[in-house]
Amino acid sequence: MPVTIATVTKIASLARIAITEEEAARIAPELDNIMGWIEQLGEVDTTDVAPIMAVIPNHLRLRDDVVNADPLTGGGIRDAVLANAPQGEHGFFTVPKVIE
Amino acid sequence: MTDLTDLGVAAIRDGVRAGTFSAREVAEGFIANVSKAKALNAFLVETPEHALAAADAADAARAAGETLKPLAGVPIGMKDLFCTKGVPATAASLILEGFTPPYESTVSANLWAAGAGMLGKLNMDQFAMGSSNETSAFGNVISPWRRSDGGNAPLAPGGSSGGSSAAIAARLCPAATGTDTGGSIRQPAAFTGISGIKPTYGRCSRWGTIAFASSLDQAGAMARDVRDCAIMLEAMAGFDPKDATSLDLAVPQWYAGLSGDLKGKRVGIPKEYRVDAMPPEIEALWQQGIDWLKDAGAEIVEVSLPHTKYALPAYYIIAPAEASSNLARYDGVRYGLRDLPEGAGLQDMYAATRAAGFGDEVKRRIMIGTYVLSAGFYDAYFTQASKVRTLIARDFEQAWAKCDLLLTPTAPSAAFALGEKSADPIAMYLNDVFTVPSSLAGLPAMSVPGGLDGMGLPLGLQIIGKPLDEQGVLNAGLALEERAGFTARAEAWW
Amino acid sequence: MTDTKYTIRGETGDWEVVVGLEVHAQVSSNAKLFSGAATAFGAEPNTQVSLIDAAMPGMLPVPNRECIRQAVRTGMAINAQINKWSRFDRKNYFYADLPQGYQISQLFHPIVGEGHVDISLDDKNPDAHGKRIGVERIHVEQDAGKLMHDQHPTRSYVDLNRCGVALMEIVSKPDMASPAEAGAYLSKLRSILRYVGSCDGNMDQGSMRADVNVSVRKAGDELGTRTETKNVNSVRFVMAVVEQEAKRQVEVIESGGRIVQETRLYDPDRNETRSMRSKEDAHDYRYFPDPDLLPLELDEAFLDECRASLPELPDAKRARYLALGITPYAAAVMTAEVEASRWFDALLDTGAAPVAAANWTTSELFGALNRTGRDIENSPVSPDQAAELLGLIADGTLSNTLAKQVFEIMLETGQGAAAIVEEKGLKQTSDTGEIERVIAEVMAANEDKVADYRGGKDKLFGFFVGQTMKAMGGKANPGVVNDVLKKVLG
């Protein structure tokens, strides 16, 4: 399926990347070319093949239900969490007003 | 007296232990080299104070008669993908401009615990997406190498760990961290005549390392030789409960286990890696490598990895898909760049911020990833790619029935000139044709320098090993290194 | 009444309602699903936020065992299939309450498969008005943060304390056909979760909220297009949403319109649902397996522990109470809330007679709690104290009337029943001689009424009982009074 300017506009919107019409027009043939190259995957017969789950055999470990056991994964660090915020006040991050 | 910056990790460590020189002298030497090498643009942030503090700690420990840590007195470079506490981290992207992590990545923490110091944060392809270091928002890294034709065309140091490779090749640091998602340690190592190893997926924690593609990203070591890589990797690796994909295994003593004797080892030569249009010099080097390994006692066997040609297209679905999601967090709310046009709402702010913050290649991959995951395309692309990935992993498993290691070229060409491939994304992607399959299978693999091409540029050989067999990979690398006798170095022009 | 089918009477005929609920229940755990930050309600903004919850670069999720365990126990409690192999997926969308830009959830392989919840529409006769509501699945996912819009003229404030708290999404089948069924299902589900201890069920704190899927159709027709009304946070509101939304849909269809599949919000003040501003790409969440997490594999030992730790559940408990002879109504009331059933079980454990204990608890204790606005967890009377009081009734020490008096004093003072009886001299008398003496006095004072009674006014018997009891300060054994009166009045 060809990647059109309309496709690019749609995926850029889904990905929240602002693009101009000119950019979309430039990107569309590029992506179309890349996707065309990727299409060759369709040649592979994957009947009865399961999608890969873990490249190296391993099992999912579960954590104990303990609060702030490790400062690197726990809370109570508001200053560190907010330190890099482009905008914030009164202990909150702030964003342009959202109308729900 | 020897220039201390000509020494590698093992030599520095041993010299500091023996008191031949002080750690501070070593740090000062490298710091001076870093500050003189601005033309290479290898460092995004210089942290001489960090390197000096670690050096002084090593010297003090020695003076106090304490046993020195494994990397005491060794200053290293840190790829900017690793968050280090209190030092700006951008992943070479404008979108993280101004971000100073209040935390330390597990890999960097392990290195500091081993006594290493940090000379600075190394330039790279933006979010590790690239094979030439041309996607950095903060300028290209220039390879210290130049072609022998006198043309002085600036060359690519490889990517994405191009700051790491250039810095080591130019003696700005004896070793550096790298990360490898589809070849980002091995290809730059090959381009700059150094060694680099990507361990088995899960050996190095990904915690605190800025993510590109989670199922592929793996930190690894880059240094001038195999021994130094082994020492570095031993310090970096280890189980981390904070990373659910971390392998709960003890780190082997790779350095102590090094041996270039390959008697009893079978080395496979995958026939599918003989691609069309491979430069004859690379063919010749590959054959040379086969002979060297035979000489080291290995038995050579021909093997087949039938799905090799599908590795790159599968990779260019899986990695962008994961990246499109991993990079969704860069939204201008909690850190980094915020672009808020007059009167913009939240969603407009996201779009403006991400348009201004991400470079073209990053945007391209986010868009590919968004596309292949979007409604109606998921099964045809992502599911199919995940199944092909299973087949690629199975190819390797079947090869292990016949051999213990694989030998291939690292890259299909020597370093190319900056700008030469940047207009053609697919040509750029094809540079990773030999490194991507082992990444998809999570296997340990390393590149070691094998020789020079006709233009005097380094070429690398790649060893791929079974899961968890970093020792086998390092040993074969050592066998190649001992026979290649690679001593060429870039002449300083910077 | 409850057997009558619920229908909307439209201009073109009768319409059926089809309802399915997606209930989001906050898992009771100390720490969040993928981080070690606390989950407590009402903390200062952003104080329960880890680097992981704030989606700092390079952060990774590691699942909390307790959250997984609670989801499995919940699945077992609704007789569901437990999937020993499940997986986390990412649901991608951009919003200010979602720092990662994706929610970690389970789309393709949820941890719990099909199960069911049995509901009843009539407490007095539960089995005759029961219905089995299918549950499609339960999956575990992260909650989002919270936005505040009224703090600043041009900015919304972002608090990530809730962000990353574990939720169970419990998805029913579209098996409900009336507001009452939807309400009964949600109440029953809440009751089960609270028995299991997997969710505190505090709907006013947002611990449980429902997305209500409603469609209408003519009898026998295919399913209609449904709307989803989000985040409804009480049983009453869920019932109101079903009612209002069904009515609205019938009106739309009958006036020639079409129902659009959309997300709606409920406005309790106006008792109506309204459309949320739809987002063009709201339905393209680009789900894919979370590459930071491996598949979740549960072993038999884990499942055994989950199973063994389940308490007796409401249906089993109700059946047990019925077998003890307790009325269906009392059994239903006693099992609806886990705290009440725990209290009552403790009372039964003292050896109290079940039927008397149930009647006393539902009438006297619950009445008193209602009057004083207390819940049973803060009951001023312990099961042991209740047992003591019931014992005094059973052995004839106290009449029911006296028992009420004693209970009132217990409520006020917290004293034990026996001590009160002793102190206030409230002990009932069965001394026939004393009762005969008092009755003689009553008859002497009311000779006219004695004559009337003997002349056939049987109803006056109660008058004599009352006068006798009054004269004895309520302490006479009513049975003995009756016997003596019958004898002497002839």
Side-chain angles (χ1 to χ4, degrees):
Chain A
M1 183 162 322
V3 180
T4 62
I5 295 175
T7 318
V8 170
T9 309
K10 186 182 156 248
I11 55 180
S13 158
L14 261 181
R16 296 296 185 280
I17 296 174
I19 55 166
T20 61
E21 277 179 43
E22 293 74 41
E23 286 169 318
R26 177 174 58 78
I27 293 166
E30 256 179 35
L31 287 195
D32 188 53
N33 193 28
I34 295 170
M35 293 314 298
W37 169 69
I38 287 175
E39 297 284 328
Q40 60 178 301
L41 266 192
E43 298 165 10
V44 186
D45 179 3
T46 53
T47 321
D48 301 328
V49 178
I52 200 149
M53 291 302 162
V55 287
I56 301 299
N58 198 356
H59 65 278
L60 184 60
R61 283 181 314 276
L62 303 175
R63 212 182 73 237
D64 289 339
D65 184 29
V66 182
V67 172
N68 301 346
D70 179 344
L72 293 176
T73 56
I77 48 162
R78 177 156 83 178
D79 291 347
V81 161
L82 293 171
N84 283 284
Q87 191 187 68
E89 53 198 39
H90 311 310
F92 295 93
F93 299 98
T94 59
V95 295
K97 200 170 190 92
V98 180
I99 301 127
E100 282 182 322
Chain B
M1 186 190 155
T2 355
D3 183 346
L4 294 178
T5 62
D6 278 342
L7 301 178
V9 173
I12 292 169
R13 181 197 62 183
D14 295 346
V16 169
R17 279 185 188 168
T20 317
F21 42 78
S22 71
R24 192 171 181 94
E25 287 173 275
V26 175
E28 282 170 346
F30 282 108
I31 289 166
N33 280 8
V34 169
S35 67
K36 278 185 293 195
K38 308 279 189 212
L40 299 178
N41 199 28
F43 281 84
L44 292 175
V45 182
E46 294 173 22
T47 56
E49 65 295 336
H50 191 288
L52 289 172
D56 290 347
D59 288 335
R62 185 178 182 277
E66 293 166 19
T67 308
L68 291 190
K69 294 171 179 171
L71 286 172
V74 181
I76 61 160
M78 185 66 64
K79 188 178 183 179
D80 203 29
L81 216 52
F82 297 91
C83 289
T84 56
K85 191 173 181 173
V87 180
T90 60
S93 179
L94 292 179
I95 206 149
L96 272 172
E97 225 176 4
F99 172 63
T100 303
Y103 50 93
E104 188 77 44
S105 76
T106 301
V107 163
S108 56
N110 288 349
L111 284 165
W112 311 152
M118 177 167 66
L119 289 158
K121 300 297 290 290
L122 292 160
N123 203 347
M124 53 183 278
D125 275 305
Q126 191 165 153
F127 282 105
M129 297 177 192
S131 306
S132 64
N133 225 293
E134 291 167 286
T135 72
S136 167
F138 305 108
N140 299 338
V141 176
I142 317 291
S143 172
W145 290 85
R146 287 186 161 176
R147 287 176 179 144
S148 57
D149 60 3
N152 290 344
L155 300 180
S160 66
S161 310
S164 307
S165 65
I168 294 164
R171 310 303 197 256
L172 311 188
C173 55
T177 57
T179 64
D180 194 315
T181 304
S184 281
I185 286 175
R186 292 160 285 163
Q187 183 258 21
F191 276 20
T192 56
I194 64 163
S195 297
I197 181 163
K198 173 199 101 74
T200 310
Y201 180 82
R203 277 283 195 202
C204 288
S205 168
R206 293 184 296 115
W207 196 90
T209 308
I210 298 173
F212 162 15
S214 312
S215 75
L216 294 151
D217 293 346
Q218 205 24 224
M222 301 169 77
R224 292 221 305 277
D225 63 29
V226 173
R227 276 192 178 77
D228 289 1
C229 283
I231 297 169
M232 273 288 283
L233 189 62
E234 241 177 87
M236 293 166 68
F239 172 62
D240 181 4
K242 299 190 295 302
D243 175 357
T245 60
S246 173
L247 293 167
D248 191 0
L249 296 170
V251 179
Q253 299 198 323
W254 291 311
Y255 176 74
L258 279 174
S259 157
D261 180 358
L262 301 185
K263 265 192 219 70
K265 293 283 177 193
R266 294 164 305 165
V267 176
I269 309 299
K271 64 177 186 201
E272 289 79 8
Y273 282 53
R274 296 193 191 279
V275 294
D276 299 338
M278 182 133 74
E281 286 163 318
I282 289 180
E283 285 269 14
L285 176 68
W286 194 3
Q287 186 53 53
Q288 179 67 71
I290 291 170
D291 295 340
W292 285 332
L293 293 183
K294 271 188 201 159
D295 182 58
E299 178 195 341
I300 303 296
V301 293
E302 175 109 337
V303 297
S304 172
L305 302 168
H307 295 91
T308 298
K309 76 174 271 207
Y310 300 107
L312 270 177
Y315 175 85
Y316 275 95
I317 288 172
I318 292 164
E322 293 182 10
S324 71
S325 178
N326 282 338
L327 272 62
R329 65 188 57 200
Y330 305 105
D331 60 6
V333 176
R334 296 163 317 286
Y335 43 78
L337 183 73
R338 167 179 290 198
D339 189 355
L340 182 59
E342 186 67 30
L346 177 68
Q347 299 295 339
D348 300 327
M349 180 187 89
Y350 289 156
T353 298
R354 292 162 61 80
F358 291 135
D360 283 348
E361 182 61 25
V362 174
K363 287 182 193 169
R364 184 179 290 134
R365 298 206 196 183
I366 289 175
M367 297 229 264
I368 294 171
T370 304
Y371 182 66
V372 299
L373 291 176
S374 64
F377 295 105
Y378 177 78
D379 281 331
Y381 290 121
F382 191 82
T383 306
Q384 175 72 355
S386 302
K387 289 177 175 177
V388 170
R389 192 174 179 185
T390 301
L391 293 173
I392 288 164
R394 201 177 287 168
D395 283 354
F396 282 108
E397 277 163 35
Q398 284 163 0
W400 302 136
K402 292 187 181 160
C403 62
D404 306 300
L405 297 158
L406 295 165
L407 175 71
T408 78
T410 306
S413 74
F416 44 85
L418 292 168
E420 204 173 287
K421 290 181 196 270
S422 47
D424 182 354
I426 297 179
M428 188 68 88
Y429 300 167
L430 287 171
N431 229 272
D432 295 330
V433 63
F434 299 141
T435 49
V436 156
S438 43
S439 287
L440 287 172
L443 301 173
M446 94 175 293
S447 178
V448 292
L452 299 176
D453 73 355
M455 300 289 260
L457 297 182
L459 297 172
L461 284 167
Q462 175 177 231
I463 300 284
I464 301 168
K466 297 176 188 172
L468 308 178
D469 190 22
E470 286 81 5
Q471 191 71 65
V473 170
L474 288 161
N475 286 353
L478 183 65
L480 291 172
E481 180 181 280
E482 284 168 350
R483 286 160 183 83
F486 185 88
T487 52
R489 60 185 284 187
E491 217 163 295
W493 50 265
W494 52 90
Chain C
M1 287 291 286
T2 45
D3 277 351
T4 315
K5 219 169 137 191
Y6 182 84
T7 51
I8 309 271
R9 203 139 294 162
E11 286 167 14
T12 61
D14 285 354
W15 297 79
E16 294 176 358
V17 186
V18 178
V19 185
L21 294 188
E22 290 167 24
V23 175
H24 294 263
Q26 180 180 327
V27 178
S28 298
S29 63
N30 300 317
K32 294 183 179 180
L33 179 53
F34 294 115
S35 86
T39 58
F41 180 78
E44 286 292 299
N46 292 309
T47 53
Q48 295 180 170
V49 180
S50 69
L51 299 167
I52 298 162
D53 308 316
M56 290 287 166
M59 291 302 105
L60 297 171
V62 179
N64 181 339
R65 181 182 296 104
E66 179 64 10
C67 300
I68 303 302
R69 182 176 165 272
Q70 292 292 22
V72 169
R73 294 174 74 245
T74 304
M76 289 171 168
I78 59 159
N79 312 293
Q81 181 199 324
I82 307 302
N83 294 323
K84 289 169 78 176
W85 192 99
S86 68
R87 205 174 54 174
F88 289 102
D89 303 301
R90 292 185 183 178
K91 177 182 183 179
N92 294 284
Y93 65 95
F94 289 89
Y95 204 58
D97 62 8
L98 189 71
Q100 292 168 145
Y102 55 84
Q103 178 194 33
I104 305 180
S105 181
Q106 297 188 300
L107 176 73
F108 301 108
H109 300 280
I111 188 163
V112 175
E114 291 194 14
H116 60 258
V117 170
D118 291 331
I119 61 167
S120 156
L121 297 178
D122 182 357
D123 283 346
K124 295 217 160 55
N125 192 0
D127 297 319
H129 303 281
K131 184 169 178 181
R132 176 159 288 187
I133 307 298
V135 170
E136 187 75 44
R137 56 188 281 160
I138 301 177
H139 65 254
V140 177
E141 64 185 20
Q142 299 175 299
D143 203 352
K146 199 173 145 198
L147 296 190
M148 269 158 273
H149 307 297
D150 48 5
Q151 316 281 316
H152 189 283
T154 60
R155 297 174 185 174
S156 292
Y157 282 21
V158 185
D159 174 11
L160 299 178
N161 278 350
R162 280 192 80 96
C163 186
V165 167
L167 299 178
M168 291 179 282
E169 182 171 331
I170 306 162
V171 183
S172 85
K173 296 190 174 176
D175 284 356
M176 288 154 275
S178 69
E181 288 183 12
Y185 168 76
L186 186 57
S187 300
K188 184 63 175 288
L189 189 59
R190 178 174 176 276
S191 167
I192 293 171
L193 297 184
R194 296 179 76 250
Y195 267 74
V196 170
S198 59
C199 172
D200 66 20
N202 290 334
M203 299 192 79
D204 50 348
Q205 292 180 0
S207 293
M208 256 184 106
R209 45 207 206 260
D211 297 346
V212 186
N213 290 298
V214 177
S215 64
V216 295
R217 65 175 170 190
K218 290 275 179 65
D221 282 2
E222 296 281 294
L223 283 177
T225 305
R226 65 186 166 86
T227 62
E228 181 180 23
T229 304
K230 288 268 190 198
N231 283 330
V232 186
N233 64 357
S234 81
V235 172
R236 195 159 58 85
F237 290 166
V238 164
M239 294 171 72
V241 164
V242 174
E243 191 177 343
Q244 297 307 320
E245 184 54 18
K247 244 189 247 168
R248 185 192 70 84
Q249 291 186 9
V250 167
E251 279 164 23
V252 168
I253 298 169
E254 292 197 330
S255 57
R258 281 185 52 208
I259 301 303
V260 192
Q261 185 164 346
E262 63 175 354
T263 303
R264 300 180 69 85
L265 275 181
Y266 177 65
D267 180 345
D269 295 333
R270 308 169 74 160
N271 188 27
E272 62 181 29
T273 67
R274 60 182 157 81
S275 182
M276 281 173 90
R277 294 197 316 158
S278 62
K279 291 166 200 130
E280 33 153 355
D281 51 31
H283 299 295
D284 202 344
Y285 291 124
R286 289 159 287 135
Y287 279 98
F288 76 109
D290 192 323
D292 286 330
L293 294 163
L294 299 154
L296 174 60
E297 292 164 276
L298 305 175
D299 59 27
E300 281 302 333
F302 184 86
L303 298 183
D304 288 346
E305 188 282 323
C306 288
R307 207 171 284 118
S309 69
L310 281 182
E312 184 183 38
L313 293 165
D315 289 342
K317 202 179 279 288
R318 199 170 57 84
R320 179 163 61 85
Y321 291 173
L322 290 177
L324 291 171
I326 293 171
T327 64
Y329 171 74
V333 170
M334 219 80 78
T335 51
E337 294 287 345
V338 64
E339 291 84 1
S341 73
R342 268 192 214 125
W343 193 95
F344 185 64
D345 278 340
L347 175 54
L348 290 182
D349 285 347
T350 64
V355 175
N359 292 341
W360 182 85
T361 304
T362 46
S363 57
E364 300 302 325
L365 179 65
F366 287 1
L369 292 175
N370 267 340
R371 254 191 348 262
T372 54
R374 297 203 219 197
D375 52 39
I376 196 144
E377 281 182 295
N378 302 307
S379 168
V381 175
S382 72
D384 283 341
Q385 287 176 313
E388 188 187 355
L389 178 62
L390 287 167
L392 292 173
I393 300 171
D395 69 11
T397 308
L398 288 175
S399 65
N400 283 331
T401 316
L402 277 179
K404 280 183 208 288
Q405 285 182 41
V406 171
F407 180 52
E408 286 305 321
I409 298 167
M410 287 168 72
L411 286 175
E412 274 168 36
T413 64
Q415 274 179 290
I420 293 168
V421 168
E422 189 67 29
E423 187 178 311
K424 310 260 181 197
L426 287 173
K427 194 167 172 167
Q428 151 178 291
T429 176
S430 304
D431 176 347
T432 317
E434 167 75 357
I435 291 170
E436 280 171 347
R437 191 184 56 74
V438 173
I439 285 177
E441 281 173 24
V442 168
M443 287 171 68
N446 297 283
E447 282 177 358
D448 51 339
K449 292 215 166 54
V450 173
D452 288 351
Y453 179 83
R454 287 180 175 150
K457 275 199 167 183
D458 289 355
K459 280 184 186 163
L460 281 170
F461 188 79
F463 167 80
F464 293 108
V465 174
Q467 289 299 307
T468 308
M469 293 302 280
K470 191 176 165 192
M472 295 190 72
K475 287 182 258 179
N477 182 328
V480 178
V481 171
N482 273 4
D483 291 349
V484 174
L485 271 173
K486 272 183 188 150
K487 200 173 68 191
V488 300
L489 285 171

